[in-house]
Amino acid sequence: MSGTGEKASATTKTPADFLKSIRGRPVVVKLNSGVDYRGILACLDGYMNIAMEQTEEYVNGQLKNKYGDAFIRGNNVLYISTTKRTLGDGA
């Protein structure tokens, strides 16, 4: 029985593992205000402060602005999600 527990824990990913694995990949960051930022995740820290590149701002699903680099304070973040390569000038 303990063998199955060890096997399960070896394949279990923590949220920190997920966040490390998506650096450099396209993401969607949803803020508490409902605004979405889509771009490449450059880095983040333990407070969920996020640095992004090739960032696009979407309000109510409509593209509102494009930024080269963006910094988002962690207390504003509702969630971070990975995306398929659908950025306009990415890939």
Side-chain angles (χ1 to χ4, degrees):
M1 292 234 171
S2 64
T4 58
E6 290 171 12
K7 185 176 180 183
S9 66
T11 59
T12 303
K13 285 187 123 180
T14 65
D17 293 334
F18 167 73
L19 292 171
K20 287 177 192 171
S21 73
I22 63 171
R23 273 183 67 195
R25 294 181 50 201
V27 295
V28 174
V29 178
K30 179 117 178 155
L31 303 187
N32 295 326
S33 65
V35 176
D36 289 351
Y37 288 91
R38 300 176 190 178
I40 308 298
L41 180 65
C43 63
L44 62 114
D45 65 11
Y47 296 101
M48 293 289 286
N49 295 319
I50 299 168
M52 297 175 67
E53 300 169 340
Q54 302 173 25
T55 310
E56 298 175 339
E57 178 182 44
Y58 288 84
V59 178
N60 298 323
Q62 300 278 336
L63 177 62
K64 290 294 180 186
N65 215 335
K66 290 187 177 187
Y67 306 102
D69 294 332
F71 180 81
I72 301 171
R73 188 171 170 183
N75 68 331
N76 295 313
V77 176
L78 183 61
Y79 67 78
I80 302 173
S81 174
T82 57
T83 63
K84 295 187 172 100
R85 282 235 176 233
T86 56
L87 294 175
D89 49 10

